[in-house]
Amino acid sequence: MTEPLYDFRSDNVGGAAPEILEALLAANAGTAAPYGDDDHTREMNQRFTALFERPVRVFPLSSGTGSNSIALAALANPFGAIFCHETAHINVYECGAPEFFTGAKLVALPGRDYRLEPATLDEALALAGAGNPTRVQPFALNLTQPTDFGTLYSTREIAELCAIAHRHGLRVHMDGARFANAVAALGCTPAELTWRAGVDVLALGATKNGAINAEAVVVFDDALARDIPFRMKRGGQVLSKARFVSAQLARYVADDRWLERARRANALALDLSRRLTALPGVTLVAPVEINMLFLRLPDAVVAALDRGPFRYYKLGRDARFVCRHDQEPAGIEALVDCIRGAALPGC
Amino acid sequence: MTEPLYDFRSDNVGGAAPEILEALLAANAGTAAPYGDDDHTREMNQRFTALFERPVRVFPLSSGTGSNSIALAALANPFGAIFCHETAHINVYECGAPEFFTGAKLVALPGRDYRLEPATLDEALALAGAGNPTRVQPFALNLTQPTDFGTLYSTREIAELCAIAHRHGLRVHMDGARFANAVAALGCTPAELTWRAGVDVLALGATKNGAINAEAVVVFDDALARDIPFRMKRGGQVLSKARFVSAQLARYVADDRWLERARRANALALDLSRRLTALPGVTLVAPVEINMLFLRLPDAVVAALDRGPFRYYKLGRDARFVCRHDQEPAGIEALVDCIRGAALPGC
Amino acid sequence: MTEPLYDFRSDNVGGAAPEILEALLAANAGTAAPYGDDDHTREMNQRFTALFERPVRVFPLSSGTGSNSIALAALANPFGAIFCHETAHINVYECGAPEFFTGAKLVALPGRDYRLEPATLDEALALAGAGNPTRVQPFALNLTQPTDFGTLYSTREIAELCAIAHRHGLRVHMDGARFANAVAALGCTPAELTWRAGVDVLALGATKNGAINAEAVVVFDDALARDIPFRMKRGGQVLSKARFVSAQLARYVADDRWLERARRANALALDLSRRLTALPGVTLVAPVEINMLFLRLPDAVVAALDRGPFRYYKLGRDARFVCRHDQEPAGIEALVDCIRGAALPGC
Amino acid sequence: MTEPLYDFRSDNVGGAAPEILEALLAANAGTAAPYGDDDHTREMNQRFTALFERPVRVFPLSSGTGSNSIALAALANPFGAIFCHETAHINVYECGAPEFFTGAKLVALPGRDYRLEPATLDEALALAGAGNPTRVQPFALNLTQPTDFGTLYSTREIAELCAIAHRHGLRVHMDGARFANAVAALGCTPAELTWRAGVDVLALGATKNGAINAEAVVVFDDALARDIPFRMKRGGQVLSKARFVSAQLARYVADDRWLERARRANALALDLSRRLTALPGVTLVAPVEINMLFLRLPDAVVAALDRGPFRYYKLGRDARFVCRHDQEPAGIEALVDCIRGAALPGC
């Protein structure tokens, strides 16, 4: 087993937060109707309604890929186009699931710092061939917030992109696998980051921030929710004992601990970033805005890291380090020591 | 909340067995690679290999519908036909998921007591138009064991059906959502009920028998396992923190408690059946072979039940009662009293 | 090459009617926009509007399977159910194309003489589980008129079935691969047989009655037509030089020759039926209402037929003979002689 | 109706070559089995076998989109990736049909002059994540020859790209909608341009070069042909009277007229290109290698053209002119005159 102290692979390699585990255990009492027709699911809906400051429809799932795919299927027809950044998680790391569930095509656009840019989107939509039967038809915009490279859209940027999308008749999906990290980093409210900025459907992930396979499709327009139960069942996304996911999600947003965890992970990454980029030869591939660092490292550093005991992901020539909510300071210190030692061999 | 004592709706309305919960909690320690590349998943594979007395490939999922669909997708091409009983769960209660994941068509056949019959299958396959491009091509046979109406195939019957399927070039999928109840009732080994009888892929459900959204696709032919990781990801069936499902499944088959629970539930149902069918006007719709009763009840009994506090499902004019592994004897007594009181008003 | 005189295999083994060929040749003059944005296609729309006595939207295709599939895709969602007779062409002979194009599931019902019956349909829809996410949702009814076994619904029966479908919220698709034979046999108008009786979309085949790979999707509700161009393109059903199909279809319905051809073929089959069923051992499998005969024949007759020169299809123990619009009387006589000779060896 | 003299919109706005029409008419004689089991289809197979100097399996279709999609479905699994140039016809102008038929994802790559480049392809495949379940798996390479912008790969370039694809385990599909123009321009044999260079499946279009909705899927590896009949039927791509397409295709390659037509169209475009680019302000957007010109034109020229009688397509700020095989010289002269008049107003 990997020693957690040295494990920087991802925020999904860690476990659950104590109060989430307690909620899961508490949900074991009594009997409950299956498939989401239970009190825990109803409570989850109420808590999300409170969190987002408006009525929402929330569906519990256990897969983030499923969550994104179901959300997108509510927006796009089989002959549709879903616009996204070329590095979007849905475009690269879901093995075609969004296309499978929607039948639509992902249209990938470039953009600085892994973010879509308003002018690029606007031009792409203008040239998308709306009404032309030889072209897939624009239906949805995907925003990955934070991006897979740990960068963030400001609420103003999201509003601007949503406005462009809506003007062209598209609906907006936010992939919020690390939604907590985004809210924590931006200091905004969940409402400001989503429906107030124009987001129609949110896939909110809790798994990476202290839950156990607990994801939520949050729908801000009731009409979009109508077919979701059928699409979920057909897609194998309905949980027999849904209460065990709903109970986690209800607890997740019941107080501010989800944000505190995210804030802590973000802060660890920022601190790590500052200390490492002070070293010779260590450069950032992407700005550090949440709990992830993408670094270009000197060969000697890579060699030192490869001697262990550290775990992290390599992406081509780059290295990714993710700070979990429960990352221990000692591990951070050890990582800095290792990299410093290799980058500054004389010291 | 429903009072568990009186809840006979389904075996998925109950909670988890104590040792399963413990295993889930224990899996929370340390970090682990996501997506099934972890020690708990490896242990699960080993334990299933021991249980089935041969090497198997096991994949953890959280949805029974997903489990069936992934298993079938390993067997059938998009232009394929999957033969099943007309009351098969995959044909009636999965909102088209098997067709969605496979692209294939389900061909539904009749059969006494909700079971496929060898002669019917053989004739259907002979007339299926193998090689004729206007016809969907026979690829797979689905056996639901136990059936959705609680009846069982004997191991001999399974072997006979599998032999017919194999002779016609089909592979065999067993939907074992209540696999434990079948093994317990038949007194056979898991191996005898599956690959020794000719089953190629098993969808084994643990959720209804004491686990929390834990299902396994068990593959008996390594070649069939090759594409499953890709199909699972594309189908939103891969769990980010798969270890929490694998740990449950590994524990589930680690000793005989899964069979003891199933035996207990089966016995409760059989006892209930004997006592109820002794009453006037109470008749069985299907033989009671596992933990489910399908009854035709006098109107007065239905009226009495509807006054509460009992919970059960109505299917048209019939009533379904399911005994959970943790069903309390007092609830059984209360149910018998209620039905007896209405069926024998003078007593 | 098969001698046409003796060829009773199908009405799609024959060629084109002279005026259809002329229309096709005439369409070769000049240039025209591709993909159906041409004058021939516009003329086709006008002529169908005249024929059906109301505005219709008509789309030209070259495949009957494509035509049915596109029509159904306008009616059914991916999690939908399409109700049809168990012997419906879309259920048996299109290799799953309707499911591929719609994502929906075909629900097959029994019915005397290969026709759906109102009570059966009504009951099936009542039990279909509308609103229940575990069940595919009722979206469409398919009526195959004539049926694949050459039987016909009366306009009253169609109206009754459509009324039931509409009452349950379904839309109605008519598979009119032999629409001409139905109109000719019933002596009704195309309008009476379709939208006046409640049909929402018609797949009208001209290929079997004198055209060359020319089929039309005829939409009676403009809202249903909206997405068809996109679904056609995505399904590879849009013709680059659509004018060559549209010109055939425009000519096809420009006068009454399509009906005369169908009447002639129907009459030949009826005559053949009367003469053959007068012979000992020759019995009808299905009533002869259009241009097809399904016969059970004595072994000696089958043996005689197998010596040639006749061509016909065998379906299990039965024999199918189809009379083409250009079937020559001498071939009919020869066929009767052959069968009579074998059935009455002494004569 | 558009005056053909002035119609430069596309090569699919024109009619059929005389001998193709004759072949179509001749196919009307007699009866023939439907769905491609006929003598014309067999003859077509033989003629293509002769043309390609090796046994091939050829399937007749009426849609180029269908042809590409069926060919790709023979190569790629539903969780697969199909690599293509970002301007590939299959990626831009088929409304998602290739994805619909294959289930796979198109991965679009950049490349100079609308052509894929070996280094780009090699790097993309190296980074494609083969074996990683979160990534779509590399299955096929699409080469559009000629490209949609009228540029050509040399046979050496095709061989190099195919070698890279094969080295990474991919099969190669060539979209040959204008295959004749490529063969004519390169002066190579059909064999050299395809299987000798490593192409596994070819979608050969005849429609744009003198046929009527006649396309062929040409398979160079028999194993790849096995499932095509089923996929074609399921995709609505099987023609009831396939002989009318097969007869055209058999005639199409029976002598050199298909190449002569293509050579003529290519020569007209080259001549036009030379004369127009000599004018001030008229520049080529893409090299002219076949029968298509993509031009950037001065505003005054566009204004002059818009006054008529010319027909051509605008793509954003650019203009596309296509020379048909039967384009009349007088039309070319008129077009040059118009553009020259506007570009050189004083002359």
Side-chain angles (χ1 to χ4, degrees):
Chain A
M1 192 199 293
T2 302
E3 179 58 64
L5 198 63
Y6 306 118
D7 197 338
F8 292 89
R9 286 179 292 181
S10 184
D11 30 16
N12 64 4
V13 305
E19 79 275 15
I20 303 284
L21 272 183
E22 280 162 25
L24 189 152
L25 288 176
N28 197 46
T31 57
Y35 307 136
D37 182 23
D38 63 276
D39 291 341
H40 293 283
T41 302
R42 278 181 282 275
E43 187 198 343
M44 173 191 70
N45 265 273
Q46 286 162 6
R47 289 204 184 277
F48 273 75
T49 289
L51 180 72
F52 284 96
E53 306 170 44
R54 57 159 288 166
V56 294
R57 288 283 302 278
V58 190
F59 299 89
L61 302 93
S62 59
S63 153
T65 296
S67 174
N68 278 330
S69 299
I70 290 294
L72 288 165
L75 305 185
N77 266 27
F79 51 84
I82 298 167
F83 291 77
C84 62
H85 193 276
E86 59 193 3
T87 64
H89 192 77
I90 62 166
N91 192 43
V92 182
Y93 289 115
E94 302 195 325
C95 199
E99 291 94 335
F100 178 48
F101 280 77
T102 62
K105 186 183 180 83
L106 302 198
V107 178
L109 303 176
R112 245 173 62 90
D113 284 345
Y114 317 100
R115 285 189 295 262
L116 287 171
E117 290 161 19
T120 308
L121 177 64
D122 203 21
E123 189 189 2
L125 292 177
L127 297 174
N132 176 348
T134 68
R135 310 286 300 277
V136 284
Q137 295 297 294
F139 270 94
L141 168 66
N142 159 265
L143 297 174
T144 311
Q145 170 78 331
T147 71
D148 263 34
F149 285 81
T151 57
L152 286 168
Y153 294 93
S154 70
T155 54
R156 197 190 47 72
E157 287 168 332
I158 289 176
E160 193 174 354
L161 290 162
C162 289
I164 293 168
H166 289 160
R167 181 153 36 81
H168 288 274
L170 287 76
R171 308 302 293 263
V172 182
H173 160 251
M174 177 175 282
D175 175 355
R178 292 184 177 92
F179 187 74
N181 302 88
V183 174
L186 293 170
C188 62
T189 67
E192 287 164 356
L193 196 55
T194 57
W195 65 274
R196 285 216 168 103
V199 172
D200 296 292
V201 183
L202 165 69
L204 181 151
T207 304
K208 289 177 160 66
N209 188 38
I212 297 177
N213 300 318
E215 309 280 322
V217 170
V218 184
V219 186
F220 300 112
D221 174 346
D222 222 50
L224 296 174
R226 197 191 52 187
D227 293 345
I228 286 183
F230 304 104
R231 293 191 183 276
M232 280 181 61
K233 185 68 189 173
R234 183 174 178 254
Q237 300 298 322
V238 173
L239 295 159
S240 179
K241 296 181 174 174
R243 60 171 156 164
F244 288 100
V245 172
S246 296
Q248 290 183 66
L249 291 166
R251 183 65 192 84
Y252 185 74
V253 299
D255 56 27
D256 278 348
R257 294 192 215 179
W258 67 294
L259 287 175
E260 288 161 15
R261 282 196 298 275
R263 257 182 233 123
R264 183 170 183 280
N266 290 353
L268 288 174
L270 190 59
D271 175 60
L272 194 52
S273 155
R274 285 181 184 142
R275 293 164 72 184
L276 294 180
T277 53
L279 299 172
V282 176
T283 55
L284 288 178
V285 176
V288 176
E289 303 187 343
I290 54 163
N291 62 327
M292 301 202 290
L293 286 85
F294 290 82
L295 297 168
R296 181 80 38 100
L297 297 170
D299 290 346
V301 169
V302 173
L305 286 170
D306 285 353
R307 282 191 290 274
F310 300 99
R311 305 293 298 272
Y312 66 102
Y313 283 142
K314 293 180 187 174
L315 292 95
R317 293 185 304 164
D318 302 324
R320 186 184 87 160
F321 297 86
V322 182
C323 294
R324 305 189 312 279
H325 66 85
D326 57 354
Q327 204 90 35
E328 294 170 88
I332 303 278
E333 294 309 317
L335 179 63
V336 173
D337 286 350
C338 170
I339 295 179
R340 184 191 294 122
L344 298 170
C347 298
Chain B
M1 194 200 292
T2 302
E3 179 60 62
L5 198 64
Y6 307 117
D7 197 338
F8 293 89
R9 285 178 292 182
S10 183
D11 29 18
N12 64 4
V13 305
E19 79 275 15
I20 302 285
L21 271 182
E22 280 162 26
L24 190 152
L25 288 176
N28 197 46
T31 58
Y35 308 135
D37 182 23
D38 64 275
D39 291 340
H40 292 284
T41 302
R42 280 182 281 275
E43 188 199 342
M44 173 191 70
N45 265 273
Q46 287 163 4
R47 289 205 183 277
F48 273 75
T49 289
L51 180 72
F52 283 96
E53 306 170 44
R54 57 159 286 165
V56 293
R57 289 283 302 279
V58 190
F59 299 90
L61 302 94
S62 60
S63 154
T65 296
S67 175
N68 277 331
S69 299
I70 289 295
L72 288 165
L75 305 185
N77 266 26
F79 50 84
I82 298 166
F83 290 78
C84 63
H85 192 276
E86 59 192 5
T87 64
H89 193 76
I90 62 166
N91 192 43
V92 182
Y93 289 114
E94 303 195 325
C95 200
E99 292 94 336
F100 178 48
F101 279 77
T102 63
K105 185 182 180 84
L106 303 197
V107 178
L109 303 176
R112 246 173 63 90
D113 284 345
Y114 316 100
R115 285 190 293 262
L116 287 170
E117 289 161 21
T120 308
L121 177 64
D122 202 21
E123 188 190 1
L125 292 177
L127 297 175
N132 175 348
T134 67
R135 309 286 300 276
V136 285
Q137 295 297 295
F139 270 93
L141 168 66
N142 159 265
L143 296 175
T144 312
Q145 169 79 330
T147 71
D148 264 34
F149 285 81
T151 56
L152 286 168
Y153 294 93
S154 69
T155 54
R156 197 190 48 72
E157 286 168 334
I158 288 176
E160 192 175 354
L161 291 162
C162 288
I164 292 168
H166 290 159
R167 181 153 36 81
H168 288 274
L170 286 77
R171 308 302 293 263
V172 182
H173 160 252
M174 178 175 281
D175 175 355
R178 291 185 178 91
F179 187 73
N181 301 90
V183 173
L186 293 170
C188 61
T189 66
E192 287 165 355
L193 195 55
T194 56
W195 64 274
R196 287 217 168 102
V199 172
D200 296 292
V201 183
L202 166 70
L204 181 152
T207 305
K208 288 177 160 67
N209 187 38
I212 296 177
N213 300 318
E215 310 279 321
V217 170
V218 184
V219 185
F220 300 112
D221 173 346
D222 222 49
L224 295 174
R226 195 191 53 187
D227 293 346
I228 286 183
F230 305 103
R231 293 191 184 275
M232 279 180 61
K233 185 67 188 174
R234 183 174 178 253
Q237 299 298 323
V238 173
L239 294 159
S240 179
K241 296 181 174 175
R243 59 171 156 164
F244 288 101
V245 171
S246 297
Q248 291 184 66
L249 291 166
R251 183 64 192 82
Y252 185 74
V253 299
D255 56 27
D256 278 348
R257 293 193 215 180
W258 67 294
L259 287 175
E260 287 161 15
R261 283 197 298 275
R263 259 182 232 124
R264 184 170 184 280
N266 290 354
L268 289 174
L270 190 60
D271 175 60
L272 194 52
S273 156
R274 284 181 184 143
R275 292 164 72 184
L276 294 180
T277 53
L279 299 171
V282 176
T283 56
L284 289 178
V285 175
V288 175
E289 302 187 343
I290 54 162
N291 63 326
M292 301 202 290
L293 286 85
F294 291 82
L295 297 169
R296 181 81 36 101
L297 298 169
D299 291 347
V301 169
V302 173
L305 287 169
D306 286 353
R307 282 191 290 274
F310 301 99
R311 304 293 298 271
Y312 66 101
Y313 283 142
K314 293 180 188 176
L315 293 96
R317 293 185 305 164
D318 303 325
R320 186 184 86 162
F321 297 85
V322 182
C323 294
R324 304 191 311 280
H325 66 86
D326 57 354
Q327 204 90 36
E328 295 170 87
I332 303 278
E333 295 307 316
L335 180 61
V336 172
D337 287 349
C338 172
I339 295 180
R340 184 190 295 123
L344 298 170
C347 299
Chain C
M1 194 200 292
T2 302
E3 180 59 65
L5 199 61
Y6 308 116
D7 197 338
F8 293 88
R9 284 178 293 182
S10 183
D11 29 18
N12 64 4
V13 305
E19 79 274 15
I20 302 285
L21 271 182
E22 280 162 26
L24 188 152
L25 289 174
N28 198 45
T31 56
Y35 307 135
D37 183 22
D38 64 275
D39 291 342
H40 293 283
T41 302
R42 280 182 281 275
E43 188 199 343
M44 174 190 70
N45 265 272
Q46 287 163 4
R47 288 205 184 277
F48 273 76
T49 289
L51 180 72
F52 283 97
E53 307 170 44
R54 56 158 290 164
V56 294
R57 290 284 301 280
V58 190
F59 299 89
L61 302 94
S62 59
S63 153
T65 296
S67 175
N68 278 330
S69 299
I70 291 294
L72 288 166
L75 305 185
N77 266 27
F79 50 84
I82 299 167
F83 290 78
C84 62
H85 192 275
E86 58 193 4
T87 64
H89 192 77
I90 62 166
N91 192 43
V92 182
Y93 289 116
E94 302 196 325
C95 199
E99 290 94 336
F100 178 49
F101 280 77
T102 62
K105 185 184 181 83
L106 303 198
V107 178
L109 303 176
R112 247 172 61 89
D113 285 343
Y114 317 100
R115 285 190 294 262
L116 287 171
E117 290 162 19
T120 308
L121 177 64
D122 203 21
E123 188 189 1
L125 292 177
L127 297 175
N132 176 347
T134 67
R135 309 286 300 276
V136 284
Q137 294 298 294
F139 269 94
L141 168 67
N142 159 265
L143 297 174
T144 312
Q145 167 80 327
T147 71
D148 264 34
F149 285 81
T151 56
L152 286 168
Y153 293 92
S154 69
T155 54
R156 197 189 48 72
E157 286 168 333
I158 289 175
E160 193 175 353
L161 290 162
C162 289
I164 292 168
H166 289 159
R167 181 153 36 82
H168 288 274
L170 287 76
R171 308 302 292 261
V172 182
H173 160 253
M174 178 176 280
D175 175 354
R178 293 184 175 92
F179 187 73
N181 301 89
V183 174
L186 292 170
C188 63
T189 66
E192 287 164 355
L193 196 54
T194 55
W195 64 273
R196 286 214 169 106
V199 172
D200 296 292
V201 183
L202 166 69
L204 181 151
T207 305
K208 289 178 159 67
N209 188 38
I212 296 177
N213 299 321
E215 310 279 323
V217 170
V218 184
V219 185
F220 299 112
D221 174 346
D222 223 49
L224 295 175
R226 197 193 52 187
D227 293 346
I228 287 182
F230 305 103
R231 293 190 183 276
M232 280 181 61
K233 186 67 188 173
R234 182 171 178 256
Q237 300 298 323
V238 173
L239 294 158
S240 179
K241 296 181 174 176
R243 59 171 156 164
F244 288 101
V245 171
S246 296
Q248 291 185 67
L249 291 166
R251 182 65 191 85
Y252 184 75
V253 299
D255 57 25
D256 279 348
R257 293 193 217 180
W258 67 295
L259 285 175
E260 288 161 15
R261 282 197 299 277
R263 260 182 231 121
R264 184 171 183 279
N266 290 353
L268 288 174
L270 190 60
D271 176 58
L272 194 53
S273 155
R274 285 181 184 142
R275 292 164 72 185
L276 294 180
T277 52
L279 300 172
V282 176
T283 55
L284 289 177
V285 176
V288 175
E289 303 187 343
I290 56 163
N291 63 328
M292 300 202 290
L293 286 84
F294 290 83
L295 297 169
R296 181 79 39 99
L297 297 170
D299 291 347
V301 170
V302 173
L305 286 169
D306 285 354
R307 283 192 290 273
F310 301 99
R311 305 292 298 272
Y312 66 101
Y313 284 141
K314 293 180 186 173
L315 292 95
R317 294 185 303 164
D318 303 324
R320 188 185 86 161
F321 296 86
V322 181
C323 295
R324 303 189 312 280
H325 66 85
D326 57 355
Q327 203 90 36
E328 294 171 89
I332 303 278
E333 294 307 318
L335 179 62
V336 172
D337 286 349
C338 172
I339 295 179
R340 184 190 295 122
L344 298 170
C347 299
Chain D
M1 196 198 291
T2 302
E3 180 59 65
L5 200 62
Y6 307 117
D7 196 338
F8 293 88
R9 285 178 292 183
S10 184
D11 29 18
N12 64 4
V13 305
E19 78 275 15
I20 302 286
L21 271 183
E22 281 162 25
L24 188 152
L25 289 175
N28 198 45
T31 56
Y35 307 134
D37 182 22
D38 64 276
D39 290 341
H40 293 283
T41 302
R42 280 181 282 274
E43 187 198 343
M44 174 191 70
N45 265 272
Q46 287 162 5
R47 289 205 183 277
F48 274 76
T49 289
L51 180 72
F52 283 97
E53 308 170 44
R54 56 159 288 165
V56 294
R57 289 283 302 278
V58 190
F59 299 89
L61 301 92
S62 60
S63 154
T65 296
S67 175
N68 277 331
S69 298
I70 290 294
L72 288 166
L75 305 185
N77 266 26
F79 51 85
I82 298 167
F83 290 78
C84 62
H85 193 276
E86 60 192 3
T87 65
H89 192 77
I90 62 166
N91 192 42
V92 182
Y93 289 115
E94 302 195 326
C95 200
E99 290 94 335
F100 178 48
F101 280 77
T102 62
K105 185 183 180 83
L106 303 196
V107 178
L109 303 176
R112 247 174 61 90
D113 286 343
Y114 316 100
R115 285 188 296 261
L116 286 171
E117 290 161 19
T120 308
L121 177 64
D122 203 21
E123 189 189 1
L125 292 177
L127 297 175
N132 175 348
T134 67
R135 309 285 301 275
V136 284
Q137 294 297 294
F139 270 94
L141 168 67
N142 159 264
L143 297 175
T144 312
Q145 168 80 326
T147 70
D148 263 34
F149 285 81
T151 56
L152 286 168
Y153 294 92
S154 69
T155 54
R156 196 189 49 72
E157 287 168 333
I158 288 176
E160 193 175 353
L161 290 162
C162 289
I164 292 167
H166 289 159
R167 181 153 36 82
H168 288 274
L170 285 76
R171 308 303 293 262
V172 182
H173 161 252
M174 178 175 279
D175 175 354
R178 292 184 176 93
F179 187 74
N181 301 89
V183 174
L186 293 170
C188 61
T189 65
E192 288 164 354
L193 197 54
T194 55
W195 64 274
R196 285 214 170 105
V199 172
D200 296 292
V201 183
L202 166 69
L204 182 150
T207 305
K208 289 177 159 68
N209 187 38
I212 297 177
N213 300 320
E215 310 280 323
V217 170
V218 184
V219 185
F220 300 112
D221 174 346
D222 223 49
L224 295 175
R226 196 191 52 186
D227 293 345
I228 287 182
F230 304 103
R231 292 190 184 276
M232 280 180 61
K233 185 67 188 174
R234 182 171 178 257
Q237 300 298 322
V238 173
L239 294 158
S240 178
K241 297 182 174 174
R243 59 170 157 165
F244 288 101
V245 172
S246 296
Q248 291 184 67
L249 291 166
R251 182 66 191 83
Y252 184 74
V253 299
D255 57 26
D256 278 349
R257 293 193 217 180
W258 67 294
L259 285 175
E260 288 161 15
R261 282 197 298 276
R263 259 182 231 122
R264 183 170 185 280
N266 289 353
L268 288 174
L270 190 60
D271 176 59
L272 194 53
S273 155
R274 285 180 184 143
R275 293 163 72 184
L276 294 180
T277 54
L279 299 173
V282 176
T283 55
L284 288 178
V285 175
V288 176
E289 303 187 342
I290 56 161
N291 64 327
M292 301 202 289
L293 286 84
F294 290 82
L295 297 169
R296 181 80 38 101
L297 298 170
D299 291 346
V301 170
V302 173
L305 286 169
D306 286 353
R307 283 192 290 274
F310 301 100
R311 305 291 298 271
Y312 66 102
Y313 284 142
K314 293 180 186 173
L315 291 96
R317 294 184 305 164
D318 303 323
R320 187 184 87 161
F321 296 85
V322 182
C323 294
R324 303 190 312 278
H325 66 85
D326 57 354
Q327 204 89 36
E328 294 171 89
I332 303 280
E333 294 308 318
L335 180 62
V336 172
D337 286 350
C338 172
I339 295 178
R340 184 191 294 121
L344 298 169
C347 299

